[in-house]
Amino acid sequence: MTAHITGEPAIPDPEERAARNAALFAHNIETGFWDDQGRVAAWPDDIDEWEPEATRPSPRQRGEPPF
């Protein structure tokens, strides 16, 4: 886990996430996560297992615009 400049872990442990989620929902603050219906959702329980998605762009076909 990486640390922010303040020295805090980048991803809080599960107990801290639960406490933070409860505080966010109590004050109707967005968490940055949404459920399938578009409502604000809690931090996922497996967030500490997530890894960045590193995919290569698909090659363009001849004559295809670059955007």
Side-chain angles (χ1 to χ4, degrees), residues 16 20 53:
E16 180 66 18
R20 289 184 184 188
E53 184 176 312

Side-chain angles (χ1 to χ4, degrees), residues 8-64:
E8 293 183 28
I11 299 173
D13 62 29
E15 295 81 23
E16 180 66 18
R17 285 197 305 267
R20 289 184 184 188
N21 284 335
L24 291 170
F25 289 138
H27 295 96
N28 200 27
I29 298 172
E30 289 187 5
T31 60
F33 295 96
W34 294 268
D35 65 12
D36 292 336
Q37 287 74 40
R39 295 177 299 225
V40 174
W43 280 56
D45 289 332
D46 65 347
I47 192 163
D48 53 347
E49 298 170 7
W50 286 13
E51 294 185 17
E53 184 176 312
T55 59
R56 301 180 122 203
S58 57
R60 294 187 311 244
Q61 299 298 319
R62 176 174 265 179
E64 185 178 9

